[in-house]
Amino acid sequence: MRHNLKLVKDFLYILFFKLRRKVILKNDLSGKTLNRLDTVLLSVHNDKTNLMVKNDISYDSASIWQSESGDNFWKCDAHYMTANQYQSDKIYITPLLNEILNIVQKNNVESVVELGCGRGDNLVYLKRKFNGCNYLGLDANEEVIEIGKSMYGGISFECANIHQFFEQKKLSHSNTLIFFASVLMYFNEHNISELLKKIPKNIIVGVNEPFDECVIEADESFTHSLHSFYHNYEKLFDDAGFSVLHKSVRKTHNEVKIISLIYVKG
């Protein structure tokens, strides 16, 4: 009897999820905070995503999320920060970028690479603060790469996915810093582990991602947005042989926390 009730409950959850997802996508709510029920329903769907990632390393939930979010996501200025917002931001991305600048100058870093750069706004902020190294933005979305090229000079852009970048061994020297900003949350932990294994020794890596201690303590990978996950980044980097250079945590207005980490591979 209990088993049958659970099946009915799961069926209703999935049915509601499908209807709710149509509303989310129709109204372009992919960048907005979802309520607790939404995240529960989305996590039911993402359980299948987790299994697919484990069985196929070339698959990641970001590609599905991107296709469901629609082309308008990349063209909407509301998804990007202005120069003034970068200056005033003390929560989201600027704290990591400022720490990157400190490490770049202290360690004579020659190249800074953002993986999942979008149109390159984070790199523009870094370049305006410090012009003493090369900046490269990598993104799998060709359209957004072309937008970056048309908007910003002095920054190199390349259209490729992250797996291809490491497989082509483009990190030719150790004086390189790479970073991810709200990118790894779209990958399953198995996929992240495989990526970290591909990073050569002495490369510095920065991450800036949402996280939740309750999820980490429960050893879960709970969804907080469309096809995205909280991860225990510290454990993932420790297991892959990295040493921590920097850690900071900030709380956003909606109680989601942002963790910034910078590691070097030993």
Side-chain angles (χ1 to χ4, degrees), residues 6 14 32 36 46 57 71 83 86 90 101 105 108 130 138 182 187 189 195 208 213 215 223 257 259:
K6 184 178 185 303
I14 293 171
K32 294 180 172 58
R36 181 71 179 179
N46 280 342
I57 187 62
D71 294 336
Y86 272 103
K90 301 192 184 305
L101 288 168
Q105 295 175 74
N108 298 316
F130 180 69
L138 184 94
S182 299
F187 289 85
E189 287 196 357
L195 284 175
N208 195 80
E213 295 105 325
V215 173
T223 182
K257 291 183 180 178
I259 188 168

Side-chain angles (χ1 to χ4, degrees), residues 135-189:
Y135 293 97
L136 169 65
L138 184 94
D139 202 287
N141 186 310
E142 185 175 1
E143 182 177 6
V144 78
I145 285 292
E146 292 303 317
I147 292 173
K149 288 179 179 179
S150 67
M151 291 182 63
Y152 303 125
I155 293 174
S156 300
F157 289 94
E158 182 176 335
C159 182
N161 68 45
I162 294 172
H163 295 287
Q164 291 172 339
F165 178 78
F166 289 112
E167 287 167 1
Q168 293 169 4
K169 302 184 185 305
K170 295 195 174 183
L171 295 176
S172 57
H173 53 76
S174 60
N175 291 341
T176 298
L177 183 150
I178 64 177
F179 72 98
F180 306 84
S182 299
V183 170
L184 293 181
M185 65 182 184
Y186 299 122
F187 289 85
N188 178 273
E189 287 196 357

Side-chain angles (χ1 to χ4, degrees), residues 86-230:
Y86 272 103
Q87 294 295 341
S88 60
D89 169 42
K90 301 192 184 305
I91 297 175
Y92 292 98
I93 182 61
T94 306
L96 174 71
L97 298 180
N98 288 337
E99 192 59 37
I100 285 175
L101 288 168
N102 291 333
I103 289 177
V104 163
Q105 295 175 74
K106 288 179 181 178
N107 294 273
N108 298 316
V109 171
E110 297 177 12
S111 298
V112 174
V113 181
E114 182 177 9
L115 302 175
C117 66
R119 67 184 192 182
D121 297 76
N122 293 333
L123 294 170
V124 171
Y125 175 85
L126 292 172
K127 185 174 177 61
R128 287 172 177 169
K129 294 287 185 177
F130 180 69
N131 196 28
C133 65
N134 299 314
Y135 293 97
L136 169 65
L138 184 94
D139 202 287
N141 186 310
E142 185 175 1
E143 182 177 6
V144 78
I145 285 292
E146 292 303 317
I147 292 173
K149 288 179 179 179
S150 67
M151 291 182 63
Y152 303 125
I155 293 174
S156 300
F157 289 94
E158 182 176 335
C159 182
N161 68 45
I162 294 172
H163 295 287
Q164 291 172 339
F165 178 78
F166 289 112
E167 287 167 1
Q168 293 169 4
K169 302 184 185 305
K170 295 195 174 183
L171 295 176
S172 57
H173 53 76
S174 60
N175 291 341
T176 298
L177 183 150
I178 64 177
F179 72 98
F180 306 84
S182 299
V183 170
L184 293 181
M185 65 182 184
Y186 299 122
F187 289 85
N188 178 273
E189 287 196 357
H190 173 77
N191 229 347
I192 297 174
S193 295
E194 293 301 312
L195 284 175
L196 296 181
K197 290 177 184 177
K198 297 177 182 179
I199 298 176
K201 287 186 176 181
N202 300 318
I203 298 295
I204 301 172
V205 182
V207 299
N208 195 80
E209 306 285 345
F211 91 118
D212 188 313
E213 295 105 325
C214 295
V215 173
I216 291 172
E217 290 172 2
D219 194 25
E220 297 175 351
S221 202
F222 192 84
T223 182
H224 65 91
S225 182
L226 288 176
H227 291 288
S228 54
F229 305 90
Y230 293 118

